[in-house]
Amino acid sequence: MRQVVLGIGDLGASNTPGEVVKTYALGSCVAVMMLYPKTRAVGMVHVALPESSINPAKGQSCPGYFADLGVPLLLREMVRLGCPGNGRGIIVKLAGGASVMGHNDTFNIGKRNILAVKRSLWSLGMGAIAEDVGANYSRTVTMSVDSGLITISCPGRGQWEI
């Protein structure tokens, strides 16, 4: 099984049988995952911050880092793999957005990322049908091209699907 491993700000999509798209250690970051069952295309972007306006240069070099740029870019990548450009029929799921600093999380980056991702999806006429967001723990997320299953794992918490 080949893995497409995403780091912070990375985006990946595949419709190659046997592949998985995976990202590690989502803390306050949010993984936006798209699946198009008709073609078995899956895609994910690892969003670190809500808005590219805070660092336009970074937005140019790494658009997946920001929700406002990464989500539309992920949809374009899914379209490249044969999905409809209007997003119809694409299943969207979210994971991450934790408050890793606990009650001292002054900037609320996790919550802000979740809201920014949802706002970006809504602007495209899309929305998530499932999510595992918030709380105070890191997540590793794996999407399978073959099954379309999304598995989340966390040390000390086990593994589950959304």
Side-chain angles (χ1 to χ4, degrees), residues 6-7 9-14 21-23 26 28-35 41-50 63-78 90-97 110 112-122 124 126-133 139 141-143 150 152 162:
L6 307 179
D10 287 344
L11 176 145
S14 176
V21 179
K22 185 170 192 163
T23 195
L26 288 169
S28 59
C29 296
V30 174
V32 180
M33 299 156 285
M34 295 185 182
L35 161 70
V42 300
M44 183 188 313
V45 62
H46 185 135
V47 171
L49 291 173
Y65 203 83
F66 302 98
D68 62 333
L69 300 177
V71 173
L73 185 60
L74 177 58
L75 178 59
R76 284 195 296 277
E77 188 65 16
M78 295 296 287
I90 296 176
I91 295 168
V92 179
K93 297 183 180 183
L94 308 175
R112 289 175 52 208
N113 281 339
I114 294 164
L115 290 173
V117 160
K118 288 180 177 183
R119 195 169 32 253
S120 189
L121 286 166
W122 294 331
L124 298 168
M126 302 172 78
I129 65 159
E131 57 186 52
D132 186 64
V133 297
R139 298 158 171 93
V141 180
T142 306
M143 290 184 77
I150 297 170
I152 300 174
I162 63 168

Side-chain angles (χ1 to χ4, degrees), residues 2-64:
R2 182 171 170 269
Q3 292 187 13
V4 177
V5 178
L6 307 179
I8 298 171
D10 287 344
L11 176 145
S14 176
N15 58 1
T16 303
E19 282 192 344
V20 296
V21 179
K22 185 170 192 163
T23 195
Y24 292 92
L26 288 169
S28 59
C29 296
V30 174
V32 180
M33 299 156 285
M34 295 185 182
L35 161 70
Y36 190 58
K38 289 183 182 179
T39 61
R40 291 193 182 231
V42 300
M44 183 188 313
V45 62
H46 185 135
V47 171
L49 291 173
E51 298 169 5
S52 59
S53 62
I54 64 169
N55 189 339
K58 179 88 171 175
Q60 291 288 330
S61 65
C62 188

